Amino acid sequence: MNVDAVVKQSSNPFISAQRQLRNAVDRLGLDEAVYEILKEPARVAVVSIPVRMDDGSVKVFTGYRSQHTVATGPAKGGIRFHPGVTLDEVKALSMWMTFKCAVMELPFGGGKGGVVCNPKALSRGELERLSRGYVRAIAPIIGPERDIPAPDVYTDAQVMAWMMDEYCQLVGADAPGVITGKPLVLGGSAGRHEATARGCAIAARETARYQGWDLRGATAVIQGFGNAGSIGARLLHEMGVRIIAVSDSTGNAYNPQGMDPGAIAEHKRRTGSVRGFPGSEEVPDSEFLTLECDILLPAALENQITADNARDIRARLIVEAANGPTTPDADPILFERGVTVVPDILANAGGVTVSYFEWVQNLTRTYWTEDEVNQRLEQSIVRACRRVLDIGRQHGVNLREAAYMAALERVAAALRARGWI
Ligand code: NAD
């Protein structure tokens, strides 16, 4: 194999996902059949979607839907519209969804979908026709009892509404439970917008409590002031945390005295950036993640904490709001240095948990208040955190390994109960 192939293979997310599965199966001493069943998705659809463009031409887009397992329930996972979507990425993301749902004890298997496209270059009409075309193509394998998609990168509540409508027209029935992340008026859930950030804040509080320290008076650095980061900052601030630094794609704002996240959001709305927030200074990009703080909340991109900067991280706790912000080679360095990492499959699982609540509300046709949603979310995150923290302590492993172990134990139990192994 040449060097390019080796590099390509090591950055292939599906190979990383298979490695994580291998490690967890070995650590738990599970039957080899568990690895054999889960190492590839149970089903993958590759579809061609012809779309009439505004100029009258027809363009054919490629889409994927991967159902990693349905042993633990119908597949569940988002749909990504992005030029960089690949089959291996979709397969990897569907495997991670299996683990995310299992660690939260949700009655779902893992799924993921994607369409290779640049949504920013599509008109609203083209985006709608593509969304509807994708659903027509995968309709035979989705449904409230089969596979329930949701939003992901560059898909939103409007895209979910078009997709749900297309599905309902195809089956000739009202079926809001086919998709989650819908607008409220079409059966979306109260509290969904804040759910991911709320899960992160609760996970931070529970982990600190377990370790015997209190969030009140602690300091936090937030990378990425978007949906997860800005709401996460507000909720942590409400818990008594001092927000000392925030960043977005244009720069950052640092003030060791602490800043009001509401005022930062207002400043960003006005100026388009967190930079220049009154009373703050800007630190060089390369120093942002290594600022001294109690809690670091990476809420932007993957691969931010690497073997290159892990030794310089001065946070006590990293709560992964983003998916994959820490590389596998950074994990052992952080663990050795006593930095606790609450892994993405647990830290940002608030989103899929409230998606589950949305599906339950759709199937039962009863709708909960935001308070009810938040209370149930709180219970789910606290329960999952305590289980993972206990496994971490018992086995002397980092919380990522502990979360994979908790998840895989549940999936293996389902495989056993079904008689598949
Ligand atoms: P978003 O687009 O609302 O926010 C992303 C933010 O990151 C933006 O403010 C952007 O300016 C900033 N950013 C981009 N590049 C940056 C850089 N180099 N340095 C600093 N900031 C940078 O997205 P989001 O929904 O908040 O998602 C953020 C992360 O959380 C993603 O990894 C996403 O997969 C993950 N996540 C989100 C949800 C959810 O429900 N929103 C659920 C699970 C996981």
Side-chain angles (χ1 to χ4, degrees), residues 47-221:
V47 297
S48 271
I49 313 154
V51 175
R52 175 80 60 195
M53 306 303 279
D54 290 349
D55 66 4
S57 66
V58 172
K59 198 167 167 189
V60 181
F61 294 86
T62 301
Y64 305 106
R65 184 74 191 168
S66 169
Q67 298 171 345
H68 175 249
T69 184
V70 288
T72 38
K76 181 95 195 77
I79 296 165
R80 182 169 288 198
F81 280 4
H82 194 274
V85 165
T86 64
L87 179 56
D88 273 351
E89 181 189 58
V90 170
K91 282 164 64 175
L93 289 164
S94 71
M95 194 190 296
W96 286 323
M97 282 306 296
T98 294
F99 292 126
K100 196 180 282 192
C101 293
V103 82
M104 294 307 298
E105 298 187 278
L106 304 178
F108 290 138
K112 203 78 184 189
V115 177
V116 187
C117 67
N118 179 4
K120 290 183 181 170
L122 298 175
S123 70
R124 190 177 159 87
E126 289 167 344
L127 188 64
E128 176 175 353
R129 293 192 289 280
L130 176 61
S131 304
R132 289 182 183 277
Y134 176 68
V135 162
R136 279 196 302 278
I138 63 165
I141 60 164
I142 63 169
E145 261 100 37
R146 291 197 189 105
D147 179 356
I148 306 125
D152 193 66
V153 176
Y154 293 141
T155 55
D156 57 13
Q158 177 59 71
V159 170
M160 297 305 112
W162 289 325
M163 289 185 173
M164 183 204 90
D165 180 67
E166 190 67 24
Y167 182 82
C168 292
Q169 296 199 35
L170 279 170
V171 298
D174 184 52
V178 68
I179 210 155
T180 60
K182 301 178 293 292
L184 279 178
V185 69
L186 294 182
S189 179
R192 174 65 184 87
H193 180 63
E194 293 196 348
T196 300
R198 189 170 292 279
C200 290
I202 297 168
R205 188 198 63 208
E206 281 312 298
T207 307
R209 218 175 248 169
Y210 194 88
Q211 295 179 336
W213 56 286
D214 194 334
L215 286 197
R216 267 168 304 178
T219 54
V221 168

Side-chain angles (χ1 to χ4, degrees), residues 215-253:
L215 286 197
R216 267 168 304 178
T219 54
V221 168
I222 316 281
Q223 185 197 38
F225 203 70
N227 175 284
S230 65
I231 301 173
R234 173 166 65 74
L235 295 171
L236 286 172
H237 183 69
E238 284 168 15
M239 290 176 177
V241 175
R242 194 149 40 98
I243 309 300
I244 60 166
V246 301
S247 70
D248 62 19
S249 58
T250 64
N252 64 65

Side-chain angles (χ1 to χ4, degrees), residues 294-316:
D294 295 303
I295 304 160
L296 176 60
L297 193 84
L301 308 166
E302 59 281 359
N303 301 335
Q304 296 300 295
I305 301 163
T306 66
D308 291 336
N309 61 8
R311 275 180 197 83
D312 303 321
I313 298 282
R314 287 186 287 165
R316 182 171 189 184

